[in-house]
């Protein structure tokens, strides 16, 4: 885990900037858009020039929206400026001064805050999605008239049955396998609504390792999209609900790098607004990425992984490091250790596996053209390896990489790490 960061006033952070420009050399957005204000240095300057509410105009807002929060600039900065926290602080201030706006209020406060209502909205959307142009498998194209959502982007189909309706609240190891741990599963929106098969495979694999999996149904979204929009009051409400849902469990396992990073940063995001750090810190301590849990907590032997069923042939694959796993959680070795232990798999590293894929949550939808340019470098690096498949641990990266490969006419499979451990049902 990287050193714990402290949330501090964004104005104080910006004043520390030396204007050395080291951040500009690594910022994926700055590299495809020659605009000084897309990198940390330019944003610090904008903050230092802030005088009043009128400065939060459209240009200012767009410049602060155009950060992937990828963290690439964090290790470069000699002043240790957390540009992600600075950016979030600015967005929060904009919401305080100018409001959230109707579309975001509807999405975050009306829909995402209430899990039951959000589920009903997505169920209806699932029925309507049959009118969208179909693409490959469970992927659809957004038509051009939905330009606000990224014209032409491939999006995963909303699952007809959500993960919460497919699994038991308590899933126990099969008969004959001695129970050795009891953990909670954090589904997050991606596994619950888009990729329930990933969640089901995680549960099956953990059960086979003697792990009882409890999935509290009161849990909701990790709140990162809401934090990213600067609506900290709504986000805190959502975070407290998640903490209450897992209060009787001593491990919270997630198969989404973004959710994992959000949950592990609850103490950074919310400590100012809470009665002390204690409960937040206790919760944060329990959170584990799926790969981290297998390697660090279960200490799975190579033999346990070697027993995973192959696909009838050896597979040459490459691994993409999600920003939220590598930079915010410091997890790089664990997924590689798992992949390398599987005898029918050959891991070939791509050039710069940690290069951001360009998704960045809603960034990839709002700024699809920029997002595509960033992702094109990832496609070239994957092609270079000659791999037949790409593995990652973040559903957002998976969606972006699949979109990118197919845009380039590349046919590699894009997998979650659990796809290597558990075969598909049927
Ligand atoms: S690396 Fe840090 S100190 Fe240097 S310009 Fe960027 S934000 Fe400022
Ligand atoms: S977090 Fe990423 S996108 Fe944002 S300024 Fe830093 S390098 Fe650029």
């Amino acid at each position: 885990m990287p050193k714990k960061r402290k949330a501090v006033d964004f104005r104080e952070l910006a004043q520390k900037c030396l204007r050395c420009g080291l951040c500009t050399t690594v910022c994926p957005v700055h590299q495809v858009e020659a605009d000084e204000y897309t990198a940390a240095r330019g944003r610090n300057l904008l903050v230092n020039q802030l005088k009043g509410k009128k400065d939060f105009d459209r240009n200012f807002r767009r410049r602060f929206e155009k950060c992937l929060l990828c963290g690439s600039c964090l290790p470069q900065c000699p002043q240790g400026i957390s540009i992600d926290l600075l950016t979030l602080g600015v967005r929060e201030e904009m919401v305080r001064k100018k409001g959230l706006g109707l579309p975001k209020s509807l999405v975050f406060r009306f829909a995402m805050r209430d899990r039951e209502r959000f589920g009903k909205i997505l169920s209806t959307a699932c029925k309507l999605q049959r009118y969208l142009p179909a693409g490959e498998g469970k992927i659809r194209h957004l038509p051009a008239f939905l330009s606000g959502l990224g014209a032409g982007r491939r999006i995963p189909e909303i699952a007809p049955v959500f993960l919460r309706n497919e699994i038991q609240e308590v899933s126990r190891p099969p008969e004959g396998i001695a129970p050795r741990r009891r953990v909670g599963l954090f589904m997050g929106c991606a596994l619950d609504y888009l990729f329930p098969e990933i969640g089901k495979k995680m549960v099956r694999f953990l059960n086979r390792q003697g792990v009882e999996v409890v999935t509290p149904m009161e849990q909701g979204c990790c709140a990162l999209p809401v934090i990213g929009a600067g609506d900290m009051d709504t986000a805190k409400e959502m975070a407290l609900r998640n903490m209450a849902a897992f209060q009787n469990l001593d491990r919270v396992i997630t198969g989404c790098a973004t959710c994992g990073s959000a949950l592990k940063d609850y103490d950074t995001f919310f400590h100012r607004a809470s009665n002390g750090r204690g409960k937040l810190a206790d919760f944060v301590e329990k959170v584990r990425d799926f790969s981290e849990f297998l390697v660090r907590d279960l200490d799975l032997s190579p033999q346990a992984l070697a027993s995973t069923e192959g696909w009838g042939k050896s597979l040459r694959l490459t691994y993409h490091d999600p920003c939220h796993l590598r930079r915010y959680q410091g997890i790089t070795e664990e997924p590689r250790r798992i992949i390398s232990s599987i005898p029918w798999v050959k891991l070939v590293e791509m050039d710069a596996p940690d290069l951001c894929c360009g998704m960045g949550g809603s960034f990839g939808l709002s700024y699809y053209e920029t997002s595509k340019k960033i992702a094109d470098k990832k496609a070239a690096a994957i092609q270079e390896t000659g791999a037949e498949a790409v593995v990652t641990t973040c559903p957002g990266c998976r969606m972006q990489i699949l979109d990118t490969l197919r845009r380039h006419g590349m046919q590699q499979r894009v997998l979650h790490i659990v796809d290597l451990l558990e075969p598909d049902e049927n």
Side-chain angles (χ1 to χ4, degrees):
M1 179 84 184
K3 195 163 162 271
K4 201 78 204 167
R5 296 162 311 145
K6 278 196 216 136
V8 295
D9 185 280
F10 66 85
R11 288 186 176 81
E12 276 176 35
L13 274 184
Q15 277 166 12
K16 289 165 65 181
C17 181
L18 302 172
R19 303 196 50 70
C20 65
L22 285 172
C23 51
T24 64
T25 63
V26 292
C27 176
V29 184
H30 188 73
Q31 283 168 3
V32 297
E33 291 202 346
D35 175 4
E36 168 68 9
Y37 300 104
T38 51
R41 180 173 66 181
R43 291 208 192 92
N44 289 333
L45 186 64
L46 288 175
V47 169
N48 289 334
Q49 290 169 346
L50 265 180
K51 289 192 184 71
K53 184 175 156 179
K54 72 169 180 26
D55 292 330
F56 292 128
D57 59 12
R58 191 163 175 268
N59 275 343
F60 183 94
R61 181 174 53 78
R62 284 177 76 84
R63 280 163 170 164
F64 276 87
E65 276 176 5
K66 278 204 168 182
C67 175
L68 289 155
L69 303 174
C70 67
S72 306
C73 56
L74 305 181
Q76 302 296 320
C77 180
Q79 292 292 83
I81 298 173
S82 298
I83 193 68
D84 57 323
L85 297 180
L86 182 146
T87 303
L88 293 174
V90 169
R91 291 179 186 174
E92 186 183 353
E93 180 85 347
M94 283 195 283
V95 169
R96 253 200 307 269
K97 293 267 178 3
K98 308 273 271 193
L100 188 60
L102 186 62
K104 285 183 181 167
S105 290
L106 284 175
V107 174
F108 299 139
R109 295 178 181 167
F110 178 75
M112 289 178 83
R113 175 161 60 178
D114 182 332
R115 198 66 173 176
E116 206 177 313
R117 184 183 288 152
F118 193 36
K120 283 184 186 155
I121 293 169
L122 289 177
S123 285
T124 308
C126 177
K127 292 183 187 112
L128 295 176
Q129 71 187 350
R130 72 176 74 121
Y131 301 109
L132 289 176
E136 174 208 345
K138 289 195 149 202
I139 299 286
R140 290 186 176 275
H141 296 260
L142 283 177
F145 70 84
L146 291 172
S147 53
L149 293 172
R153 171 180 276 286
R154 287 160 186 79
I155 50 159
E157 202 171 80
I158 298 168
V161 185
F162 300 153
L163 179 59
R164 61 182 56 233
N165 299 323
E166 288 229 49
I167 54 175
Q168 303 289 325
E169 191 150 0
V170 180
S171 305
R172 296 194 171 85
E175 257 187 59
I177 297 184
R180 57 170 166 155
R181 285 296 297 249
R182 185 168 182 266
V183 302
L185 175 71
F186 186 81
M187 295 182 277
C189 301
L191 267 52
D192 198 359
Y193 300 132
L194 300 176
F195 306 116
E197 68 282 1
I198 296 178
K200 286 194 292 177
K201 286 180 183 183
M202 283 171 62
V203 172
R204 283 208 308 272
F205 184 76
L206 288 169
N207 284 167
R208 286 202 291 116
Q209 306 309 316
V211 179
E212 180 177 312
V213 182
V214 181
T215 309
M217 298 301 165
E218 308 78 46
Q219 65 177 292
C221 167
C222 69
L224 198 62
V226 188
I227 293 166
D231 185 5
M232 295 306 272
D233 291 339
T234 307
K236 190 182 171 211
E237 214 182 283
M238 293 162 78
L240 290 176
R241 200 169 309 139
N242 285 333
M243 287 165 58
F246 288 93
Q247 64 183 337
N248 296 324
L249 293 154
D250 69 356
R251 282 287 176 269
V252 181
I253 313 298
T254 166
C256 170
T258 305
C259 292
S261 134
L263 301 178
K264 286 183 182 181
D265 253 338
Y266 273 2
D267 54 347
T268 308
F269 296 138
F270 302 116
H271 82 277
R272 281 171 298 154
S274 75
N275 307 321
R277 246 184 147 115
K279 280 194 182 152
L280 290 165
D282 289 349
F283 176 77
V284 164
E285 279 302 305
K286 301 182 196 181
V287 182
R288 297 284 185 277
D289 179 72
F290 179 63
S291 66
E292 182 184 20
F293 179 72
L294 298 190
V295 172
R296 302 278 161 221
D297 290 51
L298 284 190
D299 196 14
L300 276 194
S301 64
Q303 289 73 20
L305 296 164
S307 68
T308 58
E309 244 174 74
W311 292 350
K313 67 179 189 96
S314 63
L315 185 71
R316 183 180 171 94
L317 62 79
T318 191
Y319 173 71
H320 163 72
D321 284 291
C323 298
H324 280 104
L325 198 66
R326 183 179 187 116
R327 300 205 183 82
Y328 292 114
Q329 302 184 57
I331 297 175
T332 56
E333 194 197 318
E334 292 84 343
R336 287 179 170 80
R337 205 187 297 177
I338 293 169
I339 295 168
S340 306
S341 302
I342 301 174
W344 49 275
V345 162
K346 177 163 173 49
L347 174 64
V348 193
E349 291 285 356
M350 70 176 92
D351 185 36
D354 61 331
L355 187 73
C356 177
C357 68
M359 183 64 191
S362 61
F363 180 103
L365 297 174
S366 306
Y367 298 105
Y368 186 38
E369 287 308 313
T370 310
S371 174
K372 280 197 290 192
K373 288 183 202 157
I374 297 168
D376 287 348
K377 297 181 186 176
K378 184 62 61 182
I382 292 168
Q383 185 75 317
E384 194 65 21
T385 62
E388 303 153 86
V390 188
V391 175
T392 190
T393 54
C394 180
C397 299
R398 188 186 187 216
M399 175 172 142
Q400 171 83 343
I401 293 172
L402 185 61
D403 177 62
T404 307
L405 297 186
R406 298 304 178 261
R407 272 196 300 107
H408 285 269
M410 294 164 65
Q411 295 310 316
Q412 288 87 342
R413 298 180 68 161
V414 187
L415 306 168
H416 186 276
I417 199 162
V418 78
D419 290 321
L420 300 175
L421 303 175
E422 273 294 314
D424 288 324
E425 278 175 315
N426 68 46

